[in-house]
């Protein structure tokens, strides 16, 4: 389906978003201009409640608990999924809902491997997208697509797609303080009101409604598409899966879903009088016999032993959870700022906290589009978890990051196997993966290495916030083996008496593995991670590792051109004359920004690099997290004007929708690494970093940025 408004000027889209802010929202902003000792958390959150007044595929809203999310249209449920499929899709996804297509040819993972020589003095095996034979290509295709994340089911009003034009007088807002979407609309002179939430502890959607027309509701189940980037709904494969009722009563039904080797259950419960009947092979109608309804829809891996009755106060646990989230975590208040951009920056900050808490705070790493729709088949990208989750301990939510950190223990055997097949010691962490922790074939991702130090960075951020000795003991073995691989991966350059990094694709993915050496961000990250691993050894009462110290002290300094600007890699001599080196991520800025100052870097040269990037980079080739990365570099250099300017730069990939989602393009209509990067950058710009003493070091000291904050931790 084609939506012309998806490709209109994104600046025009932003102006439309501004118009839908109600007078009440603006009044709240004005009222909080008065000085106050303590931040009014509730006022801060509520003045940025998203408001929706039309059926727009880019204005879907979500509720969730970090492990499960449910996305709705303007009706408060999933009534028009086809219309939203090319915008922000109406997903129902969990961290456990995965599926694999059959493998009748018995394709083996080993058939995806290719042996290469990347200059480490040994042959290394990588899982890539091979095309040298039909069978090897088939194996690579199968293991790249499988497993893929499931859409668990569409639950909404039983409206025909054409009926969307009869929905009038829409007034919908997301109450983030309570974790509830409140929706009002009119259809055929009937006024509907719907409240929607997700239980904080279960994969359960809670709906309370006034349905005066007693319009039927429907739950429909698709077959997965296995698509690279879509809503995961194939409605044409009815014979490839089954939906059966396994239990029923006057207050609910339990359905069993079977898709090959995948089985899960759906329990729909209600209060009051409701009829039901099957509608086709994979749909069930719910037929209200009362105007006022309370319902729940719960998704589980295991079969419920009995139908669970709805509690008397079904929204109470959700409200309590979100009030705790907002009051316990950090807060940043821009209401005392006079710069006209401050309100929009505050809006993005508040909405990003909510979106990441519902989409990226589960027991497994998140996908880049969270639990809304599939990107890269729903798989995790382990180099992105820094952007998704580093903000959590900085904003005083370390317990939410601890959830997914446990996945590293599960994945360690496969990480060890990757290192061994490539001839290295320790653990080499995979890039693109899934619950199995197998690495998906990729001719780019398999050669990345900047995901490797993330476990050290994230564990350090948690420990700095909590000083939890049990956490230290639990994760030290993984820190140790991660650092062992990093130390084994470096090459020693005898001629120049230095250690080098070679044979990898940097975070700036336009460079080639076979010819790249000494990329600046990776060098700086190796320096930080090995030093931090030594710190963990000392905390454990162990002696320092002499080899690690030797490598840290002997790492190559960042290479620069004749004008003193840093190169994309020491091997990339044509950095400032070849578009290949000035597109994609400006990862050179991450060397000082994401990471602290070290002896590999000259601040003057980095400032020259930042200035050149600012004026000359191919910004139309960037991604959402490139803007906070630029801001973090500018902040550490003391260039606060650029730090703020980067976060609010007027580019397509730096657009934030009504919901707060970071829009990229027609394929990635939301991109959560951009949201997470924003929160990490704001944390640094407020609280600073180790050794910084200036108040709000990332904001201009011009009298216009009186930023107030509470509870943020310093960056390393």
């Amino acid at each position: 389906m084609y939506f012309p408004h998806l490709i209109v000027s994104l600046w025009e889209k932003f102006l439309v978003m501004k118009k839908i802010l109600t007078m009440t929202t603006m009044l709240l902003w004005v009222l909080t201009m008065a000085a106050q000792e303590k931040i009014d958390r509730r006022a801060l959150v509520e003045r940025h409640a998203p408001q929706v007044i039309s059926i727009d595929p880019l204005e879907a809203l979500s509720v969730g608990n970090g492990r499960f999310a449910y996305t709705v249209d303007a009706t408060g449920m999933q009534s028009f999924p086809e219309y939203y499929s090319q915008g922000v899709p109406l997903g129902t996804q969990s961290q456990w809902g995965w599926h694999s297509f059959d493998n009748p040819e018995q394709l083996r993972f080993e058939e995806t491997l290719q042996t290469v020589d990347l200059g480490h003095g040994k042959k290394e095996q990588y899982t890539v997208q091979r095309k040298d034979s039909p069978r090897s290509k088939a194996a690579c295709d199968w293991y790249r697509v499988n497993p893929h994340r499931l859409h668990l089911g569409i639950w909404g009003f039983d409206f025909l797609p054409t009926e969307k034009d009869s929905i009038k007088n829409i007034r919908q807002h997301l109450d983030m303080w309570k974790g509830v979407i409140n929706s009002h609309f009119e259809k055929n002179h009937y006024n509907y009101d719907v409240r929607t939430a997700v239980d904080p502890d279960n994969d359960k959607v809670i709906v309370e409604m006034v349905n005066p027309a007693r319009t039927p509701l429907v739950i429909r189940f698709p077959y997965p598409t296995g698509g690279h980037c879509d809503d995961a709904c194939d409605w044409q494969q009815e014979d490839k899966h089954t939906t059966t009722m396994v239990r029923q009563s006057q207050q609910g039904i339990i359905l069993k879903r079977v898709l090959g080797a995948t089985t899960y259950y759906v329990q729909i419960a209600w209060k009051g009088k409701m009829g039901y009947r099957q509608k086709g092979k994979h749909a069930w109608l719910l037929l209200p016999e009362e105007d006022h309804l309370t319902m729940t829809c719960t998704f589980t891996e295991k079969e419920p032993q009995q139908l669970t009755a709805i509690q008397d106060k079904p929204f109470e646990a959700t409200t309590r959870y979100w009030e705790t989230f907002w009051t316990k975590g950090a807060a940043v208040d821009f209401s005392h700022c006079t710069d006209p951009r401050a309100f929009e920056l505050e809006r993005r900050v508040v909405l990003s906290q909510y979106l990441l808490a519902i989409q990226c705070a589960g027991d497994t790493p998140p996908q880049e589009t969270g639990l809304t729709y599939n990107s890269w088949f729903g798989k995790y990208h382990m180099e992105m978890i820094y952007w998704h989750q580093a903000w959590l301990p900085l904003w005083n939510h370390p317990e939410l990051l601890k959830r997914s950190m446990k996945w590293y223990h599960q994945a360690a055997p496969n990480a060890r196997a990757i290192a061994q097949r490539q001839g290295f010691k320790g653990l080499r962490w995979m890039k693109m993966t899934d619950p199995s922790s197998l690495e998906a074939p990729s001719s780019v991702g398999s050669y990345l290495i900047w995901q490797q130090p993330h476990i050290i960075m994230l564990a350090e951020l948690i420990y700095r916030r909590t000083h939890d000795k049990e956490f230290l003991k639990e994760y030290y073995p993984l820190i140790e083996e991660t650092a062992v691989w990093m130390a084994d991966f470096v090459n020693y350059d005898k001629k120049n008496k230095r250690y080098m990094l070679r044979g990898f694709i940097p975070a700036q993915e336009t460079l080639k593995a076979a010819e790249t050496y000494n990329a600046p961000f990776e060098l700086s990250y190796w320096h930080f991670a090995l030093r931090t691993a030594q710190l963990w050894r000392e905390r454990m009462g162990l002696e320092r590792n002499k080899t690690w110290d030797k490598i840290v002290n002997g790492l190559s300094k960042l290479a620069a051109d004749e004008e003193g600007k840093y190169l994309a890699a020491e091997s990339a001599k044509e950095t400032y004359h070849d578009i290949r080196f000035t597109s994609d991520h400006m990862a050179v800025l991450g060397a000082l920004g994401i990471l602290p100052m070290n002896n590999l870097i000259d601040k003057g040269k980095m400032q020259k690099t930042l200035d050149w990037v600012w004026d000359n980079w191919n910004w139309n080739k960037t991604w959402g997290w490139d803007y906070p990365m630029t801001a973090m570099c500018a902040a550490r250099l003391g260039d606060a004007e650029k730090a703020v300017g980067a976060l609010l730069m007027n580019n397509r990939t730096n657009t934030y929708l009504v919901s707060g989602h970071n829009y990229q393009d027609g394929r990635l209509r939301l991109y959560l690494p951009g949201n997470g990067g924003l929160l990490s950058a704001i944390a640094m710009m407020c609280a600073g970093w180790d050794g910084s003493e200036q108040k709000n070091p990332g904001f201009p000291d011009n009298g216009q940025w009186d930023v107030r904050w509470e509870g943020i931790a310093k960056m390393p």
Side-chain angles (χ1 to χ4, degrees):
M1 192 176 294
Y2 177 70
F3 298 106
H5 59 278
L6 293 180
I7 57 173
V8 298
S9 162
L10 292 174
W11 181 246
E12 291 177 4
K13 185 70 182 175
F14 170 68
L15 294 177
V16 171
M17 287 158 42
K18 286 181 68 177
K19 289 179 182 178
I20 70 168
L21 291 170
T22 64
M23 292 302 293
T24 301
T25 303
M26 295 306 295
L27 180 60
L28 285 168
W29 169 258
V30 172
L31 290 175
T32 53
M33 290 291 285
Q36 53 191 19
E37 287 294 321
K38 191 171 179 62
I39 294 173
D40 185 338
R41 302 293 185 94
R42 184 164 187 168
L44 170 65
V45 172
E46 289 186 343
R47 63 176 170 253
H48 297 291
Q51 312 286 329
V52 173
I53 59 173
S54 64
I55 294 181
D56 186 324
L58 286 176
E59 294 184 356
L61 302 175
S62 301
V63 283
N65 58 24
R67 300 177 171 99
F68 169 84
Y70 176 74
T71 300
V72 306
D73 57 29
T75 68
M77 298 187 75
Q78 299 169 332
S79 304
F80 300 106
E82 291 83 1
Y83 187 67
Y84 281 72
S85 64
Q86 297 302 309
V88 175
L90 308 183
T92 307
Q93 292 194 337
S94 73
Q95 62 184 15
W96 52 260
W98 294 79
H99 170 265
S100 290
F101 296 129
D102 292 340
N103 182 9
E105 298 179 36
Q106 298 297 305
L107 300 165
R108 295 177 294 107
F109 180 77
E110 289 73 20
E111 296 175 278
T112 73
L113 300 176
Q114 188 173 68
T115 302
V116 296
D117 184 346
L118 295 177
H120 294 115
K122 66 188 78 171
K123 300 294 185 180
E124 302 168 39
Q125 282 190 324
Y126 289 81
T127 175
V128 298
Q129 291 174 274
R130 293 175 60 182
K131 299 179 182 178
D132 50 302
S133 74
R135 184 170 175 87
S136 62
K137 182 182 183 303
C140 294
D141 290 345
W142 194 90
Y143 281 96
R144 186 166 169 82
V145 171
N146 295 290
H148 39 264
R149 200 181 299 258
L150 280 172
H151 191 306
L152 297 176
I154 294 282
W155 189 37
F157 289 97
D158 188 32
F159 294 141
L160 295 171
T162 54
E163 290 185 87
K164 68 178 178 59
D165 295 329
S166 64
I167 305 294
K168 308 294 184 183
N169 298 325
I170 294 167
R171 297 193 305 275
Q172 182 181 58
H173 85 277
L174 168 57
D175 184 348
M176 294 180 288
W177 186 259
K178 296 182 178 179
V180 177
I181 298 171
N182 298 294
S183 309
H184 172 88
F185 64 95
E186 181 183 330
K187 186 178 188 299
N188 298 334
H189 306 294
Y190 287 104
N191 287 297
Y192 294 73
D193 288 285
V194 181
R195 297 181 70 208
T196 314
V198 161
D199 185 89
D201 301 313
N202 300 285
D203 295 355
K204 178 193 295 184
V205 183
I206 307 165
V207 174
E208 186 178 77
M209 69 169 61
V210 177
N211 179 0
R214 301 186 180 180
T215 301
L217 304 165
V218 64
I219 186 161
R220 297 190 283 150
F221 300 102
Y223 191 69
T225 63
H228 179 278
C229 189
D230 65 7
D231 65 357
C233 292
D234 184 346
W235 300 103
Q236 308 304 315
Q237 307 296 331
E238 290 193 341
D239 294 334
K240 292 186 177 180
H241 56 128
T242 63
T243 307
T244 55
M245 181 181 290
V246 295
R247 196 165 284 115
Q248 56 189 304
S249 77
Q250 291 184 340
Q251 300 305 131
I253 58 176
I254 296 177
L255 304 175
K256 180 179 181 181
R257 297 274 297 131
V258 179
L259 306 91
T262 299
T263 299
Y264 67 96
Y265 297 84
V266 184
Q267 178 180 185
I268 303 176
W270 54 82
K271 275 189 174 183
K273 295 181 179 180
M274 179 94 75
Y276 52 88
R277 64 178 173 83
Q278 192 165 357
K279 182 185 179 181
K281 285 188 174 182
H282 303 290
W284 287 80
L285 279 178
L286 305 175
L287 307 168
E289 298 175 14
E290 298 178 359
D291 295 359
H292 294 257
L293 297 170
T294 301
M295 297 171 289
T296 61
C297 184
T298 307
F299 299 85
T300 57
E301 290 182 274
K302 296 181 179 180
E303 181 176 356
Q305 295 305 304
Q306 61 183 8
L307 285 157
T308 304
I310 297 176
Q311 298 176 346
D312 289 337
K313 298 179 180 179
F315 292 87
E316 187 174 51
T318 300
T319 297
R320 185 167 56 248
Y321 174 85
W322 283 102
E323 288 180 351
T324 301
F325 173 84
W326 292 114
T327 54
K328 174 188 175 295
V332 182
D333 182 354
F334 290 84
S335 65
H336 305 275
C337 303
T338 57
D339 189 295
R341 299 171 294 175
F343 184 83
E344 171 59 16
L345 187 55
E346 185 182 84
R347 184 185 78 89
R348 297 182 182 192
V349 168
V350 170
L351 290 171
S352 292
Q353 291 173 72
Y354 174 79
L355 289 172
L356 291 160
I358 68 171
Q359 309 256 6
C360 303
D363 302 321
T364 60
Q367 68 166 318
E368 295 187 34
T369 45
L371 296 168
T372 299
Y373 77 103
N374 282 358
S375 53
W376 290 275
F377 316 102
K379 295 181 187 284
Y380 327 140
H381 285 182
M382 297 306 291
E383 87 281 20
M384 287 292 106
I385 61 169
Y386 174 86
W387 295 116
H388 283 287
Q389 297 181 308
W391 72 279
L392 285 166
L394 297 173
W395 286 72
N396 201 28
H397 296 293
E399 73 287 350
L400 296 183
L401 177 53
K402 281 184 176 181
R403 288 179 178 178
S404 63
M405 287 290 286
K406 292 184 179 296
W407 184 85
Y408 276 106
H409 288 289
Q410 174 188 326
N414 279 334
R416 191 172 295 110
I418 293 172
Q420 289 174 352
R421 78 164 183 252
Q422 294 171 354
F424 296 105
K425 303 173 185 175
L427 301 170
R428 179 171 188 170
W429 298 108
M430 57 291 296
K431 186 273 192 201
M432 179 174 163
T433 186
D434 53 68
S436 73
S437 74
L438 280 180
E439 186 171 28
S442 172
S443 296
V444 173
S446 297
Y447 296 104
L448 295 181
I449 61 172
W450 65 289
Q451 74 274 16
Q452 182 70 17
H454 282 348
I455 183 175
I456 298 177
M457 170 66 86
L458 296 175
E460 177 68 5
L461 292 177
I462 290 173
Y463 185 78
R464 285 163 61 99
R465 174 61 88 168
T466 64
H467 299 286
D468 183 345
K469 299 297 184 183
E470 292 304 313
F471 179 81
L472 183 76
K473 294 176 183 177
E474 181 182 356
Y475 283 88
Y476 175 73
L478 297 182
I479 302 299
E480 168 85 15
E481 285 198 82
T482 298
V484 164
W485 183 88
M486 295 177 70
D488 203 26
F489 187 76
V490 299
N491 289 104
Y492 186 66
D493 175 7
K494 293 182 180 179
K495 179 180 179 181
N496 296 296
K497 297 181 179 179
R498 61 176 184 164
Y499 289 95
M500 302 175 63
L501 290 174
R502 69 182 316 132
F504 64 97
I505 293 179
Q508 186 177 349
E509 294 182 8
T510 54
L511 282 67
K512 298 178 181 179
E515 61 190 38
T516 297
Y517 58 89
N518 285 346
F521 174 56
E522 283 75 9
L523 281 172
S524 190
Y525 215 170
W526 250 241
H527 189 282
F528 171 83
L530 289 177
R531 287 188 64 191
T532 304
Q534 292 281 39
L535 183 59
W536 276 59
R537 286 186 65 85
E538 292 174 344
R539 290 170 182 159
M540 291 292 294
L542 302 172
E543 293 184 0
R544 294 178 69 85
N545 185 305
K546 295 180 180 179
T547 300
W548 298 356
D549 277 339
K550 191 175 179 181
I551 292 171
V552 167
N553 294 328
L555 276 172
S556 302
K557 294 187 181 298
L558 274 57
D561 69 0
E562 63 279 0
E563 296 178 353
K565 302 188 298 294
Y566 282 128
L567 301 174
E570 186 175 335
S571 52
K573 305 298 184 185
E574 297 299 310
T575 290
Y576 297 97
H577 308 285
D578 186 337
I579 192 172
R580 179 161 65 99
F581 302 125
T582 57
S583 298
D584 198 56
H585 309 297
M586 61 294 289
V588 58
L589 302 184
L592 179 62
I594 298 172
L595 301 167
M597 182 65 185
N598 59 57
N599 62 2
L600 310 181
I601 300 168
D602 178 276
K603 276 195 171 182
K605 292 179 180 179
M606 189 60 79
Q607 183 69 57
K608 285 184 178 181
T609 307
L610 172 63
D611 292 341
W612 191 94
V613 167
W614 189 269
D615 293 334
N616 300 283
W617 199 261
N618 292 295
W619 288 98
N620 63 328
K621 300 286 188 181
T622 54
W623 298 66
W625 54 268
D626 290 321
Y627 304 95
M629 181 170 65
T630 301
M632 294 163 85
C633 180
R636 293 219 195 230
L637 290 170
D639 196 340
E641 291 287 351
K642 280 192 175 69
V644 172
L647 294 182
L648 292 163
M649 194 177 290
N650 181 25
N651 288 323
R652 185 194 73 245
T653 51
N654 199 35
T655 299
Y656 283 70
L657 303 177
V658 168
S659 60
H661 276 304
N662 179 205
Y663 180 95
Q664 300 297 285
D665 54 29
R667 181 183 65 161
L668 291 173
R669 287 86 69 190
L670 62 95
Y671 188 63
L672 291 163
N675 298 91
L678 169 69
L679 295 179
S680 290
I682 290 293
M684 170 185 284
M685 292 163 67
C686 289
W689 51 90
D690 293 345
S692 66
E693 298 179 358
Q694 181 183 346
K695 179 183 177 182
N696 294 337
F699 293 96
D701 186 15
N702 59 9
Q704 293 184 297
W705 288 96
D706 181 9
V707 182
R708 315 274 177 97
W709 54 270
E710 299 168 354
I712 295 177
K714 282 191 172 188
M715 288 278 282

